[in-house]
Amino acid sequence: MQLQNKYQIALLSAFAIGIHSIENLLPSPIPWLRFGLANIITLITLYLFGFRAAFTVTLIRTFISSLINGTFPGPAYIMSLGGGITATISMWLIISLIPQLFSAVGISVIGAFFHNIMQLFIAYFLLIQRIEPIILVSPFIVLAGTIAGTINGIVAELVIKNLKKQIEPT
Amino acid sequence: MNLLQILQNTTKADRILILFLLISCFSFIIFFNKIFSNKQSIHIYSEGKEVYILSLNENNKVDIKGRLGITTVEIKDKKVRITSSPCENKLCIKQGWKDSGSIICLPNNIIVSIGEYKKEGSGIDAVTK
Amino acid sequence: MKRYLLLLLTIIIFHTNSCTPEKEHIYKYTQLYMNTVVTITAVSESKENAEKAIKAAFNEIEKIEQLTDFYSDKSEISLINKNAGILPVKVSSTVIEILEKAFYISEKTKGAFDITIGAISSLYDFSKKIKPSDEEIAKKLEYVNYKNIIIDKIKRTVFLKKKGMLIDTGGITKGYASDKAVEILKSHGIKSGIVAIGGEIHAFGTKPDKKLWKIGIKDPDSNSGENDIIAAIELSDSSISTSGDYQRFFILDSKKYHHILNTKTGKPADSCKSVTVIGKENSMTDALATGVFVLGHEKGLKFLEENGLYGVIIDQENNLIITPELDKKIEFTSNSSKYNKS
């Protein structure tokens, strides 16, 4: 059981890193604004294997990806790490505190929202130190995050349902 | 399992949450846009100190005390000019109506600037001219 | 909408460029001195200290202005002028220093820069569109010779040999004052900043994000924006000055009369539109920009190269010439496309 868990974490982390890296290759109008596809993996892990696994996957993913992208240990890494951790914790809290209220789609949106908020915070403290641009830009960031979060949530829901189908009959 | 089913499987809370976020984002964007589109302001500096911040959208007439005496600034129809000045050559008055840049009266040490005077071109810290 | 895009862009620029958290801020204040706009920028962790330093720097500039103002009866320069051909005048060490620097540049440029041009420049009035006749200029040319300024460093006196000579230090005091203002800022613990007196700029240290200061060079043909630039250059611990025919001029009978006079003819120097010089001291670049302008684009370029200085020259035929090593440092804007780069 322990061993299998390790394999699963390794595999999920690999998926997450892969998705994260591919996403980095995609052209983006603004380097900051990413779809956050790796969050799909975090969400799936959270649903299927629990908080500890999801948290581990997030740590591994942000660390390895930043090494690959050469952003370690710069602000981009700190933002990615901070956002990832906040998203994981916030999604887990909602799932465990009010389990039936949201589906994976809602959880994903919540994760994206807190991810964005954390990144804006980090951007403020680390990079800009002026509150005006942060406040001005935040509705755009949150808007993009909500749309991306919804789509990610739908994908995650699909994967989770399919995986559960495969697991349950056996 | 198709997309439609997934959408049907979303809870009421999901939809309310997404709707709430979308609406609040949009309203914030509109709100900010309103605030900042009206932000076209006139900054008046006398002897290096900012003495007035006025809106370019409101017609106005103010007197500013400078090094030599009183300079009168008039704002009308989103334009600004200096109407009277104690300076000798009256170059500031001759500049007439302006809707961008700045009017400077050197003798009376007055700067009337549309937008903040400190602001300079993109990423440029100073200009040799 | 544009505003938001700009903000997003600024965030990205900050995002990609800085690596360490900084508590330093940029403080920028503007005052009017020396008949121009003086902007002092200081980087400091404390607003209080920045303001104190900037205030002291402004005071220094004001002090230098009072000592050197050509048009004020109370200045030491007027006192020297009034006693031309009569007797040596005791002056402050500041004025001695300025005159020595001016003398040095005059020697270097073989008289292309010469503060004794005051005898002729005082005949022009650029706000009233007054220019002297050829005879008037010819009469005064004998008074233009920097070698007739006698500086006695030990007694701290200055004597103009001929009655009728007039010295106008306007071509060097702004640069000199900005150097002094930088010294004052440094003595107040400011490690980086910019002092810009009109177009005379002295930048030191780096921005809070460790980037160099970016200085624009004005487009001489643009009347619209004050900040229409043809190029930008990144500097630290350097000075940059520009002399241009657009700075002070009037048009009479469709001919342009500007304020940079040829010391040999007493008439406006007619080879260049604008000359920018980059060097260490701003007093030097200020005077040299004028000197090179008077020398003309060919001799001027040669002069810059021989003295290891960077410079940008735009001549009357719209040729944009830069000194050889500058092309790596300079970044042209779209405004520069109307000039022929060689």
Side-chain angles (χ1 to χ4, degrees):
Chain A
M1 192 62 200
Q2 265 292 349
L3 197 62
Q4 201 191 355
N5 215 341
K6 265 186 194 163
Y7 281 134
Q8 281 159 349
I9 286 178
L11 198 63
L12 288 161
S13 302
F15 274 134
I17 293 161
I19 292 175
H20 192 117
S21 302
I22 288 168
E23 198 186 326
N24 260 315
L25 294 177
L26 294 175
S28 158
I30 299 144
W32 229 37
L33 226 53
R34 296 255 165 236
F35 215 78
L37 289 173
N39 204 38
I40 297 172
I41 301 292
T42 311
L43 193 55
I44 294 167
T45 315
L46 203 54
Y47 266 102
L48 298 181
F49 304 99
F51 175 67
R52 282 188 60 166
F55 197 77
T56 318
V57 169
T58 305
L59 289 184
I60 294 173
R61 191 253 304 168
T62 46
F63 179 64
I64 304 281
S65 296
S66 75
L67 286 183
I68 293 172
N69 296 322
T71 51
F72 187 81
Y77 167 67
I78 295 169
M79 253 193 249
S80 165
L81 178 71
I85 290 175
T86 323
T88 313
I89 292 176
S90 61
M91 292 194 292
W92 168 65
L93 279 176
I94 301 290
I95 292 176
S96 50
L97 290 178
I98 28 176
Q100 293 308 317
L101 194 59
F102 295 105
S103 75
V105 178
I107 300 294
S108 170
V109 170
I110 290 165
F113 176 76
F114 282 102
H115 190 113
N116 290 332
I117 297 296
M118 192 60 189
Q119 291 205 319
L120 287 167
F121 258 107
I122 295 172
Y124 172 73
F125 282 111
L126 231 52
L127 303 171
I128 301 173
Q129 286 160 20
R130 276 177 51 219
I131 200 74
E132 200 198 22
I134 296 280
I135 288 176
L136 275 172
V137 101
S138 58
F140 287 92
I141 301 276
V142 172
L143 180 67
T146 305
I147 296 167
T150 310
I151 298 167
N152 288 345
I154 292 169
V155 176
E157 182 92 42
L158 257 165
V159 177
I160 291 163
K161 287 272 156 67
N162 276 321
L163 279 178
K164 273 191 175 160
K165 245 191 220 163
Q166 282 175 12
I167 296 164
E168 270 159 13
T170 48
Chain B
M1 196 94 216
N2 58 34
L3 203 64
L4 206 71
Q5 259 176 301
I6 296 244
L7 290 179
Q8 277 165 355
N9 276 348
T10 54
T11 65
K12 217 178 210 166
D14 283 342
R15 287 171 228 164
I16 293 171
L17 174 73
I18 293 168
L19 210 66
F20 170 76
L21 281 175
L22 290 181
I23 291 170
S24 44
C25 283
F26 275 118
S27 41
F28 266 110
I29 290 168
I30 292 163
F31 176 65
F32 286 152
N33 238 334
K34 260 224 161 106
I35 291 182
F36 289 103
S37 64
N38 286 338
K39 222 196 161 187
Q40 190 64 297
S41 55
I42 301 197
H43 298 246
I44 301 175
Y45 304 82
S46 170
E47 311 207 36
K49 274 200 214 75
E50 191 166 26
V51 288
Y52 276 107
I53 302 174
L54 304 166
S55 166
L56 194 57
N57 297 328
E58 287 165 37
N59 294 349
N60 210 335
K61 208 166 186 176
V62 288
D63 293 337
I64 301 109
K65 203 178 165 308
R67 188 155 48 194
L68 303 174
I70 304 289
T71 292
T72 309
V73 175
E74 188 185 1
I75 303 164
K76 203 178 167 188
D77 303 329
K78 300 198 178 187
K79 280 183 186 150
V80 64
R81 69 166 173 180
I82 290 181
T83 51
S84 81
S85 166
C87 62
E88 217 177 281
N89 47 25
K90 313 275 181 204
L91 282 176
C92 50
I93 299 176
K94 282 177 200 154
Q95 289 192 45
W97 291 105
K98 283 215 154 198
D99 57 3
S100 67
S102 51
I103 308 175
I104 298 171
C105 178
L106 285 167
N108 206 21
N109 205 342
I110 301 263
I111 301 175
V112 178
S113 164
I114 296 161
E116 263 181 276
Y117 187 73
K118 293 155 196 164
K119 211 164 71 185
E120 265 169 352
S122 57
I124 301 290
D125 300 301
V127 175
T128 177
K129 47 199 165 194
Chain C
M1 203 55 203
K2 260 190 189 165
R3 212 190 153 84
Y4 286 109
L5 283 174
L6 212 75
L7 275 165
L8 271 168
L9 263 167
T10 35
I11 286 178
I12 293 151
I13 289 162
F14 277 107
H15 167 76
T16 46
N17 287 341
S18 59
C19 275
T20 43
E22 281 295 341
K23 286 283 170 284
E24 288 177 324
H25 289 275
I26 296 179
Y27 298 93
K28 201 167 181 178
Y29 291 84
T30 299
Q31 282 266 33
L32 302 175
Y33 288 114
M34 300 186 165
N35 285 321
T36 188
V37 180
V38 181
T39 301
I40 298 183
T41 309
V43 175
S44 174
E45 287 159 12
S46 123
K47 190 178 181 196
E48 227 170 85
N49 189 40
E51 282 181 346
K52 216 172 110 194
I54 290 171
K55 204 170 172 208
F58 276 131
N59 286 342
E60 180 72 14
I61 293 167
E62 191 178 10
K63 196 190 97 194
I64 295 168
E65 180 184 11
Q66 284 166 358
L67 288 173
T68 60
D69 190 351
F70 183 75
Y71 298 99
S72 157
D73 289 342
K74 282 171 247 156
S75 76
E76 294 190 349
I77 295 295
S78 306
L79 214 62
I80 295 169
N81 286 335
K82 270 184 240 162
N83 287 295
I86 304 170
L87 55 107
V89 176
K90 190 156 175 83
V91 293
S92 61
S93 53
T94 303
V95 168
I96 292 282
E97 207 184 332
I98 293 171
L99 294 182
E100 276 188 326
K101 282 177 192 290
F103 194 89
Y104 173 77
I105 299 293
S106 296
E107 291 265 272
K108 278 238 140 194
T109 58
K110 301 194 173 66
F113 174 81
D114 191 334
I115 54 172
T116 57
I117 194 71
I120 294 175
S121 62
S122 58
L123 303 176
Y124 288 84
D125 189 321
F126 292 94
S127 57
K128 291 184 185 128
K129 297 194 180 191
I130 294 169
K131 76 169 186 75
S133 67
D134 289 358
E135 296 83 59
E136 279 174 291
I137 292 173
K139 245 188 275 167
K140 292 275 185 181
L141 269 176
E142 62 165 311
Y143 300 115
V144 180
N145 188 351
Y146 66 95
K147 286 180 179 143
N148 290 331
I149 309 172
I150 309 301
I151 304 169
D152 187 331
K153 220 178 158 181
I154 297 153
K155 286 196 208 147
R156 253 174 48 198
T157 60
V158 180
F159 178 53
L160 306 181
K161 268 189 184 167
K162 291 185 185 174
K163 191 163 175 65
M165 278 176 76
L166 289 174
I167 52 170
D168 181 354
T169 54
I172 192 166
T173 33
K174 290 192 194 95
Y176 176 83
S178 85
D179 289 340
K180 286 287 155 191
V182 167
E183 271 176 38
I184 298 281
L185 291 179
K186 282 181 178 167
S187 74
H188 279 76
I190 304 290
K191 291 194 180 64
S192 77
I194 300 178
V195 176
I197 304 184
E200 316 306 326
I201 294 164
H202 188 144
F204 64 108
T206 57
K207 287 193 250 188
D209 58 9
K210 303 289 168 246
K211 290 193 79 181
L212 301 180
W213 297 103
K214 200 170 189 180
I215 313 295
I217 298 173
K218 194 193 180 301
D219 178 357
D221 278 354
S222 152
N223 308 315
S224 55
E226 286 152 18
N227 296 320
D228 263 353
I229 58 170
I230 51 154
I233 183 161
E234 291 189 314
L235 297 177
S236 175
D237 301 312
S238 304
S239 296
I240 182 164
S241 296
T242 299
S243 282
D245 65 358
Y246 53 85
Q247 289 163 336
R248 248 185 304 146
F249 68 94
F250 59 85
I251 290 170
L252 198 67
D253 302 328
S254 66
K255 199 173 176 317
K256 187 173 189 174
Y257 294 90
H258 63 81
H259 76 297
I260 306 164
L261 302 179
N262 187 325
T263 45
K264 301 277 182 294
T265 64
K267 290 175 186 166
D270 53 10
S271 159
C272 304
K273 269 186 183 171
S274 121
V275 171
T276 301
V277 177
I278 300 156
K280 271 266 169 267
E281 283 179 43
N282 206 1
S283 56
M284 295 293 154
T285 58
D286 187 1
L288 283 173
T290 309
V292 170
F293 195 104
V294 171
L295 283 174
H297 61 276
E298 274 168 24
K299 280 191 205 162
L301 184 72
K302 218 171 120 203
F303 176 85
L304 290 174
E305 281 177 37
E306 280 169 4
N307 287 282
L309 292 155
Y310 294 129
V312 180
I313 299 174
I314 296 175
D315 70 12
Q316 290 290 350
E317 272 80 56
N318 283 340
N319 294 310
L320 197 161
I321 312 150
I322 59 172
T323 50
E325 278 141 68
L326 198 62
D327 55 352
K328 286 173 222 103
K329 298 188 166 189
I330 201 162
E331 191 187 305
F332 287 106
T333 68
S334 57
N335 279 10
S336 71
S337 57
K338 60 177 175 257
Y339 302 106
N340 321 313
K341 282 166 223 150
S342 45

